[in-house]
Amino acid sequence: MSTNRPLTKEERKRFNRAEHERKIRQELIARHGNELGNFHFWLRLMNIRGTQAYRAGDTAFIRDVALALQNVYQRHGG
């Protein structure tokens, strides 16, 4: 966050979304433990933002989240 000027409406929106996702991630980790909490967070992220990215045609985001999900699943699932 810049101290030189106030955030624009779009910057504030992105900041609030990031803070909300950080809070949800911390709650899931507290509830389920580190690995499973991260897995649930990435599933949630893929469900919500993956749909938005798919509609916008952003396949790179979907690929990145799918790889993160696979990594967490492999570590947790053995």
Side-chain angles (χ1 to χ4, degrees):
M1 197 159 69
S2 176
T3 57
N4 297 335
R5 62 173 176 80
L7 295 175
T8 64
K9 185 176 180 181
E10 185 61 33
E11 289 170 336
R12 174 58 64 185
K13 186 177 180 181
R14 279 186 268 139
F15 176 77
N16 288 341
R17 172 180 259 176
E19 284 296 307
H20 180 69
E21 288 175 355
R22 184 188 57 77
K23 179 182 150 200
I24 291 196
R25 181 181 221 161
Q26 288 175 343
E27 289 173 359
L28 287 171
I29 289 172
R31 186 180 313 148
H32 299 291
N34 190 36
E35 292 297 322
L36 193 55
N38 275 320
F39 184 72
H40 281 289
F41 172 75
W42 284 109
L43 276 176
R44 181 183 181 283
L45 194 69
M46 179 61 119
N47 187 31
I48 294 169
R49 295 194 46 206
T51 301
Q52 294 168 351
Y54 175 75
R55 289 180 182 152
D58 184 10
T59 58
F61 175 80
I62 295 170
R63 187 179 321 108
D64 292 343
V65 173
L67 286 173
L69 267 172
Q70 181 182 13
N71 290 336
V72 173
Y73 175 75
Q74 285 178 342
R75 283 193 309 257
H76 184 71

